[in-house]
Amino acid sequence: MAEMAVSFVLEQLIPLLTEEAKLLGGIHKEFADIKDEFECIQAFLKDADKKAKRDDTTEGVKTWVKQVREAAFHIEDVIDDYLIQVRQEPRDPGFVALLHKIVHSLKVIIPRHQIASKIQGIKSSLRGIKKRSQTYGFQRSLEQGSRSFRGRKSAKWHDPRMDALYIDEAEMVGFEEPKNKLIEWLLEGRSERTVIAVVGMGGQGKTTLAKKVFDNKKVVGDFDYRVWITVSQSYYIEGLLRSMLNELYKQEGDTPPQDISQMDRESLISMLRNYLQQKRYVFVFDDVWNIHFWNEIQNACIDNKMGSKIFITTRNMEVATNCRKSSVVKVHDMQPLSEVQSFELFKKKAFQKKDIPNELKEISLKIANKCKGLPLAIVAIGGLLSTKEKSLLEWQKFCDKLPLELKRDSHLTGINQILALSYDDLSFHLKSCLLYFGIYPEDYEVKSRRLIRQWIAEGFVKEESGNTLEEVAEGYLTELIHRSLVQVSSVRFDGKAKSCCVHDLTREMILEKCEDLSFCKNISGNGHSSLSGSIRRLSITTHSDDFMKRIENSRVRSLFLFEYDSQLLSKAFIRRIFREYRRLKVLEFDVFSNVRLSNILRENLGSLIHLKYLSLNNDYRLNYGFKLPKSISMLQNLETLDLRQCALYDLPKEVSKLRKLQHLIGSRMSLFKLKGGIGGMESLQTLSSVEIEDGDDGIKIIKELGQLRQLRKLSLFLGNEDHISTLSSLNEMQHLENLKIGTKNVRNRSYDLTDLHLNPPPSKLRTLKLTGMLEKFPEWILQLQNLVKLKLILSLLKDDPIKLLENMQNLLSLSFIEYAYEGESLHFHDGGFQNLKELYISDLPNLNSIVIEKGALQSLKKFELYKIPNLKTVPAGIQHLEKLQVLNVQYVPHEELYAEL
């Protein structure tokens, strides 16, 4: 992780030296020297980080890596402090400004001397660090940012995965159903070679399941050859091919050729193909990490059209996905054990065949549930407790201190070690993204978009040609999910993660890494991690401010405050945050307090010039009439401003000076004061949601919005019917993906949107929500070939819109809400809506009939009917929806009939 810290510093230094040369003045060379020193040290960091992770390394190596990290933190602080000074120079013209500029220049001279002195000290320290690198014989790496070292395991911990190969069938719990499914896949009659992949997080029982399937009598009798190969993180492809050949010779009772150890890859593959030519075989490749593994091995596994199978276990879904390029692939995604199964397995390990004492039942269930369905943890913890006294007091102490026991008890350390293998396999920027989950409280489900914006603000996300940073970050999150490190809590209609979290035991591993690497500190009502050393990120889930004095001189870059209980944060606590944490880049204020934030922000917000992400979630009622101070204009690095919970109605004109702002999020904010400036905010990608005032000013603002060519998401609430014809300015937003337009609702009547013509409409539009009357269905909507979600409210459509919409092939979610349709029937025709996954029909008082022909809605998974008072009967043909998973019906006649479907 020192590699990550140094990389971040270099990324700051390079633009500083090229773009801010005038600001640096006489200390430009000092910063350039620092950059050169760090680049020299960076070449050795990969080898040093590798050695520092080993348990058998000297403390000196670990100290060296820590010193590099601390030096990187130090120079980052120096850069930020200097820029706080020099970027406060006034920019207004005139004589008064000139006087201010002279005074400011005099003030800057002193900091430059102080900075130069600090840099000299850092340079001296770096020279010493570089010299000590020779002592430890670090190897120079020419491959910066590549994967971490693989394959070495410390000899000081027992790897419980080895036990998976020898578990008795009677000891297994929850594997019967997946075992039978996998056996069926192996035995099925398809003649083509098939790849079967079992995917799941470390410790989920993949090897155990695979071994039981591999040894099943039906499987044994169905194949000519059965070969088990353990691959792991580090493998040598020629050695793996030789192992496959040796096992085949062994099963035939033959002796391998004497020169097999000298054969090259091509010869080994040729020999394997010849050997397997007329045989039905199954190869099990256990514990595959490399996503390109199949590319290396597939030619050796000949497709002889005899129903041969390749069975792979892996933590990474991408390993299975990559096999699809040349083979039929079936994937079994491992699921955690249920609470009942977890308790059953725990009892088997903790009590063997004895009855569980009544006084231990409740605490046993609690301990089992803490494992969150992870068999590895249940087996290890249950096995350890089987050796301990069966005392309620002792078991309660163990349960309360389980995170500590995972670190110190030799029987349990293997759990963290196994989970950490997945972490070690990540590139350094993905390591940072994963460690970020350590900031959030236990069992916290974080919104994916929120997380992605925070990663970007931190500098974790690297630019890729042709993609926005958000798209790159989405790829990072997807990779962490596919690697079974992050779990999806909820999904959007298009299948992407809406919110996510990490397994509790993965979180414990992450927290241990965060502590070791000074990545973040957590402070809660139940205690907190050590507050010594550098604190770069601070997560607080307590109302107490007793700890604040101990971190007064810290180097906090990111601060997260989460609501912990009903007690409120003090005014002094909040004021201190905004006054003293001047180096902040990320501030997540997700708590309630009895403090009016407006007053505190007016005093201190402008000093946080490094801030890139600001989210304020405070008491909506207390902060009614919340106002941003004019000093918001000082936050020139701000990328995300999230005020949706602050009851902010009037944005100050100074917001328009934030030229790097990409996401401006609130709740029906007024743009009135931004008139003449909003069009210059060319970096904006999200503007949600804003209310357009009556009159000519509103029209001018709408026209000005057309200048925001990078906008991806726009949510408008129109205050006047005259605004609608002006919305043609939206045609200029060719990157627009999400559009919501709302109008006033008076007695179930809203403004008429019929005059809304987007011609041509934004071609990339994926989500459209319209609230307002439509005399007839707009034809321009049918031109939206990329549209995946359509929501119509108060449309008062008279003709059945189904026939117009049913051929939109990419549509995944469709909603008719609150008088969207005034007709009496909806008819879904055969072949229509082939890809639609979600259908919502609500508050349509005239609707009395829904007909679904066979062949319609073939992909529908979720169907909701709400407040349809005149629906005479259950929708005809609903039985044809074979893929339907969720059916929600409320305030609909004959609700009891739906329960029988």
Side-chain angles (χ1 to χ4, degrees):
M1 288 300 280
E3 182 185 3
M4 178 188 73
V6 170
S7 294
F8 287 165
V9 167
L10 287 173
E11 286 169 9
Q12 277 191 292
L13 280 170
I14 292 170
L16 184 71
L17 292 169
T18 55
E19 299 169 15
E20 308 283 0
K22 291 181 180 179
L23 288 178
L24 294 177
I27 57 174
H28 183 279
K29 183 178 184 304
E30 304 292 343
F31 278 117
D33 289 345
I34 288 287
K35 181 181 81 72
D36 292 341
E37 294 288 352
F38 270 123
E39 285 178 338
C40 289
I41 289 173
Q42 189 183 36
F44 300 101
L45 272 177
K46 199 171 306 299
D47 189 45
D49 270 339
K50 174 181 70 177
K51 290 182 178 179
K53 282 187 292 206
R54 292 179 357 202
D55 289 346
D56 60 348
T57 194
T58 65
E59 285 300 315
V61 172
K62 294 180 180 179
T63 301
W64 187 89
V65 172
K66 183 178 180 182
Q67 288 172 345
V68 174
R69 187 167 62 241
E70 289 292 326
F73 290 162
H74 196 180
I75 192 62
E76 187 181 10
D77 293 341
V78 169
I79 295 170
D80 288 351
D81 288 349
Y82 181 67
L83 291 179
I84 287 175
Q85 296 287 339
V86 300
R87 283 185 174 162
Q88 291 176 354
E89 182 175 343
R91 299 171 187 243
D92 296 328
F95 178 71
V96 175
L98 179 61
L99 289 178
H100 280 300
K101 188 170 184 177
I102 293 170
V103 173
H104 176 77
S105 297
L106 292 173
K107 287 181 178 179
V108 167
I109 291 173
I110 297 173
R112 276 184 181 152
H113 285 301
Q114 293 172 342
I115 295 295
S117 177
K118 289 181 180 179
I119 291 177
Q120 287 298 329
I122 296 172
K123 283 169 64 177
S124 176
S125 174
L126 286 175
R127 282 193 290 266
I129 290 171
K130 189 166 65 172
K131 186 175 181 180
R132 285 192 293 279
S133 70
Q134 300 169 4
T135 305
Y136 304 113
F138 297 140
Q139 300 297 311
R140 178 180 293 272
S141 172
L142 300 177
E143 187 186 353
Q144 298 303 324
S146 64
R147 302 230 179 266
S148 302
F149 173 72
R150 299 177 176 181
R152 182 182 175 95
K153 295 195 289 285
S154 167
K156 295 184 179 180
W157 63 281
H158 168 65
D159 187 346
R161 293 175 300 172
M162 293 297 296
D163 301 335
L165 298 173
Y166 309 105
I167 292 178
D168 189 271
E169 192 94 20
E171 295 293 311
M172 294 171 59
V173 173
F175 282 5
E176 192 64 27
E177 185 176 331
K179 184 188 77 170
N180 291 337
K181 180 176 77 172
L182 290 170
I183 290 172
E184 181 181 336
W185 285 358
L186 280 174
L187 301 180
E188 68 179 7
R190 183 192 299 272
S191 62
E192 295 88 358
R193 177 190 60 192
T194 303
V195 176
I196 297 170
V198 176
V199 183
M201 68 179 288
Q204 210 161 14
K206 302 181 294 296
T207 299
T208 301
L209 177 60
K211 191 65 166 67
K212 294 307 169 189
V213 171
F214 182 76
D215 290 338
N216 181 268
K217 290 181 179 179
K218 292 181 181 177
V219 173
V220 172
D222 200 60
F223 292 93
D224 300 311
Y225 295 136
R226 294 165 46 256
V227 177
W228 181 286
I229 301 290
T230 300
V231 182
S232 295
Q233 285 173 290
S234 181
Y235 66 89
Y236 176 49
I237 186 64
E238 283 80 3
L240 190 147
L241 294 170
R242 289 188 190 101
S243 296
M244 294 164 65
L245 266 175
N246 284 329
E247 186 60 33
L248 293 176
Y249 276 106
K250 180 180 175 182
Q251 291 186 21
E252 281 289 348
D254 294 339
T255 303
Q258 291 185 351
D259 62 345
I260 192 172
S261 59
Q262 277 76 48
M263 287 184 180
D264 59 16
R265 184 183 304 190
E266 187 177 347
S267 300
L268 291 167
I269 290 175
S270 178
M271 185 173 287
L272 275 165
R273 291 176 66 88
N274 289 333
Y275 217 92
L276 298 171
Q277 193 72 45
Q278 299 298 322
K279 301 291 184 179
R280 177 172 160 86
Y281 62 87
V282 56
F283 283 118
V284 175
F285 296 107
D286 184 41
D287 196 25
V288 177
W289 292 72
N290 188 345
I291 61 173
H292 303 298
F293 173 78
W294 181 239
N295 297 338
E296 297 178 320
I297 207 73
Q298 63 172 320
N299 289 331
C301 304
I302 187 172
D303 185 2
N304 54 19
K305 308 301 181 185
M306 296 188 67
S308 296
K309 303 293 192 296
I310 308 299
F311 195 117
I312 291 173
T313 71
T314 181
R315 302 185 186 197
N316 192 344
M317 182 64 76
E318 290 299 318
V319 171
T321 302
N322 276 2
C323 297
R324 289 198 168 100
K325 297 174 183 177
S326 58
S327 292
V328 176
V329 178
K330 293 196 170 189
V331 178
H332 172 69
D333 195 1
M334 296 287 287
Q335 299 299 312
L337 299 181
S338 67
E339 288 191 5
V340 173
Q341 292 169 335
S342 297
F343 189 40
E344 183 66 27
L345 180 59
F346 178 83
K347 287 190 294 183
K348 286 189 176 187
K349 299 307 296 183
F351 301 99
Q352 275 80 46
K353 296 181 180 179
K354 300 176 183 176
D355 292 334
I356 180 172
N358 287 331
E359 66 272 17
L360 293 181
K361 284 184 178 179
E362 186 175 343
I363 189 63
S364 295
L365 181 60
K366 187 175 181 181
I367 293 171
N369 287 342
K370 280 198 170 194
C371 298
K372 294 293 179 73
L374 191 67
L376 170 71
I378 298 169
V379 169
I381 292 171
L384 175 61
L385 288 173
S386 70
T387 66
K388 292 186 177 292
E389 180 185 354
K390 304 298 187 287
S391 158
L392 177 59
L393 181 61
E394 288 298 315
W395 284 40
Q396 185 64 60
K397 287 180 180 178
F398 178 87
C399 182
D400 294 340
K401 296 180 179 179
L402 183 56
L404 183 61
E405 295 290 343
L406 290 170
K407 296 178 185 177
R408 71 183 185 186
D409 193 292
S410 60
H411 295 88
L412 302 181
T413 52
I415 298 174
N416 260 5
Q417 296 276 14
I418 287 171
L419 296 176
L421 290 175
S422 292
Y423 167 84
D424 291 338
D425 193 57
L426 298 173
S427 56
F428 74 82
H429 59 278
L430 279 180
K431 286 178 180 176
S432 302
C433 293
L434 179 64
L435 292 182
Y436 220 70
F437 284 91
I439 290 173
Y440 296 98
E442 186 175 3
D443 297 325
Y444 192 96
E445 295 183 3
V446 60
K447 298 294 184 184
S448 299
R449 287 196 179 101
R450 177 187 188 186
L451 179 68
I452 281 171
R453 288 167 187 162
Q454 289 165 355
W455 284 352
I456 292 171
E458 292 277 3
F460 298 160
V461 184
K462 307 306 171 191
E463 290 186 1
E464 291 182 5
S465 178
N467 291 317
T468 65
L469 287 178
E470 282 76 11
E471 290 168 341
V472 176
E474 278 188 6
Y476 289 1
L477 181 59
T478 298
E479 182 169 352
L480 291 175
I481 291 168
H482 284 176
R483 285 172 172 267
S484 305
L485 283 165
V486 172
Q487 299 176 339
V488 177
S489 304
S490 61
V491 294
R492 301 202 296 260
F493 60 89
D494 57 1
K496 293 183 179 180
K498 182 178 181 180
S499 61
C500 51
C501 61
V502 291
H503 191 282
D504 283 0
L505 293 174
T506 300
R507 182 173 181 270
E508 290 301 328
M509 179 271 292
I510 287 172
L511 291 178
E512 187 175 343
K513 296 286 184 185
C514 287
E515 186 74 18
D516 291 345
L517 302 168
S518 299
F519 185 85
C520 75
K521 303 285 184 179
N522 293 272
I523 299 172
S524 68
N526 299 323
H528 48 72
S529 53
S530 169
L531 296 179
S532 61
S534 297
I535 301 179
R536 311 304 285 178
R537 298 171 186 85
L538 187 61
S539 175
I540 302 171
T541 52
T542 175
H543 64 278
S544 171
D545 56 2
D546 295 340
F547 60 88
M548 289 294 283
K549 292 179 181 178
R550 285 186 284 161
I551 58 174
E552 186 173 356
N553 297 318
S554 68
R555 305 171 178 178
V556 177
R557 285 301 190 288
S558 302
L559 181 61
F560 292 74
L561 295 100
F562 297 99
E563 183 182 6
Y564 181 71
D565 55 28
S566 59
Q567 300 188 59
L568 303 174
L569 294 176
S570 70
K571 186 175 183 178
F573 180 102
I574 298 173
R575 176 171 278 121
R576 189 169 194 169
I577 290 169
F578 288 97
R579 187 178 65 241
E580 298 186 5
Y581 287 64
R582 301 180 72 195
R583 296 166 174 163
L584 283 179
K585 292 184 179 179
V586 174
L587 176 56
E588 181 74 56
F589 194 93
D590 192 12
V591 292
F592 292 125
S593 74
N594 58 357
V595 178
R596 293 190 71 86
L597 279 178
S598 293
N599 298 334
I600 294 176
L601 293 179
R602 185 171 61 250
E603 298 169 8
N604 304 293
L605 183 62
S607 64
L608 304 180
I609 70 164
H610 295 297
L611 209 58
K612 293 188 173 185
Y613 176 98
L614 175 60
S615 175
L616 299 175
N617 181 3
N618 200 221
D619 193 312
Y620 195 95
R621 294 160 298 176
L622 181 66
N623 283 282
Y624 185 82
F626 171 87
K627 292 184 178 180
L628 279 176
K630 294 181 179 180
S631 60
I632 186 75
S633 63
M634 298 296 293
L635 310 187
Q636 288 296 304
N637 291 303
L638 198 63
E639 297 169 351
T640 296
L641 181 57
D642 189 342
L643 304 166
R644 72 187 89 186
Q645 298 297 331
C646 283
L648 173 71
Y649 297 112
D650 289 317
L651 285 170
K653 65 179 181 181
E654 285 76 15
V655 168
S656 64
K657 297 179 181 179
L658 303 177
R659 297 308 168 93
K660 292 184 180 179
L661 193 64
Q662 297 177 17
H663 308 285
L664 178 54
I665 306 167
S667 179
R668 289 178 67 167
M669 302 175 292
S670 169
L671 298 179
F672 177 75
K673 294 179 181 178
L674 273 65
K675 184 181 63 174
I678 183 70
M681 300 178 70
E682 295 179 354
S683 296
L684 270 183
Q685 296 179 24
T686 302
L687 182 58
S688 175
S689 65
V690 294
E691 184 169 353
I692 307 298
E693 287 82 356
D694 292 347
D696 292 341
D697 287 332
I699 293 174
K700 290 177 182 177
I701 289 172
I702 291 175
K703 289 181 177 179
E704 201 174 342
L705 291 178
Q707 299 175 39
L708 304 179
R709 306 295 172 83
Q710 296 302 313
L711 214 58
R712 265 75 174 169
K713 180 178 181 179
L714 176 63
S715 179
L716 293 176
F717 185 85
L718 305 179
N720 190 306
E721 197 160 12
D722 293 337
H723 294 156
I724 295 169
S725 59
T726 318
L727 289 174
S728 58
S729 63
L730 304 186
N731 293 334
E732 305 296 325
M733 302 177 184
Q734 289 305 307
H735 291 288
L736 198 63
E737 297 177 359
N738 188 317
L739 176 62
K740 297 178 182 178
I741 298 176
T743 64
K744 284 186 178 179
N745 174 10
V746 181
R747 295 180 182 176
N748 297 328
R749 287 292 184 272
S750 59
Y751 295 147
D752 194 339
L753 291 177
T754 304
D755 290 335
L756 173 59
H757 296 293
L758 298 184
N759 190 21
S763 61
K764 296 181 180 179
L765 200 64
R766 290 170 53 81
T767 299
L768 178 63
K769 176 183 175 182
L770 296 178
T771 303
M773 288 190 294
L774 296 167
E775 287 184 5
K776 61 179 182 177
F777 194 85
E779 291 185 7
W780 60 266
I781 293 180
L782 302 178
Q783 299 175 38
L784 300 172
Q785 294 304 309
N786 292 309
L787 195 70
V788 294
K789 182 176 184 178
L790 177 62
K791 191 171 188 177
L792 299 178
I793 304 172
L794 295 168
S795 307
L796 303 179
L797 289 168
K798 293 180 171 53
D799 297 327
D800 185 348
I802 299 302
K803 196 167 186 64
L804 294 171
L805 290 169
E806 61 188 2
N807 291 320
M808 298 189 74
Q809 292 300 311
N810 291 318
L811 201 62
L812 302 178
S813 178
L814 177 62
S815 303
F816 298 113
I817 310 294
E818 195 177 356
Y819 298 90
Y821 173 55
E822 290 194 309
E824 296 183 355
S825 67
L826 286 173
H827 195 123
F828 295 87
H829 304 93
D830 178 17
F833 295 110
Q834 285 301 295
N835 295 308
L836 197 73
K837 298 184 185 303
E838 298 179 354
L839 177 60
Y840 302 89
I841 301 175
S842 172
D843 290 282
L844 304 186
N846 296 337
L847 189 66
N848 60 43
S849 169
I850 298 176
V851 177
I852 303 171
E853 292 183 7
K854 188 174 183 179
L857 302 169
Q858 287 298 287
S859 299
L860 199 68
K861 293 183 177 180
K862 187 174 184 179
F863 188 15
E864 288 195 5
L865 291 170
Y866 181 76
K867 285 188 178 179
I868 316 291
N870 292 310
L871 191 63
K872 293 179 180 178
T873 185
V874 174
I878 195 171
Q879 70 275 10
H880 301 317
L881 305 179
E882 297 179 356
K883 294 186 179 180
L884 194 65
Q885 298 174 359
V886 177
L887 176 62
N888 291 332
V889 180
Q890 280 186 290
Y891 305 111
V892 173
H894 312 296
E895 278 187 41
E896 70 281 357
L897 297 178
Y898 292 86
E900 301 173 4
L901 296 175

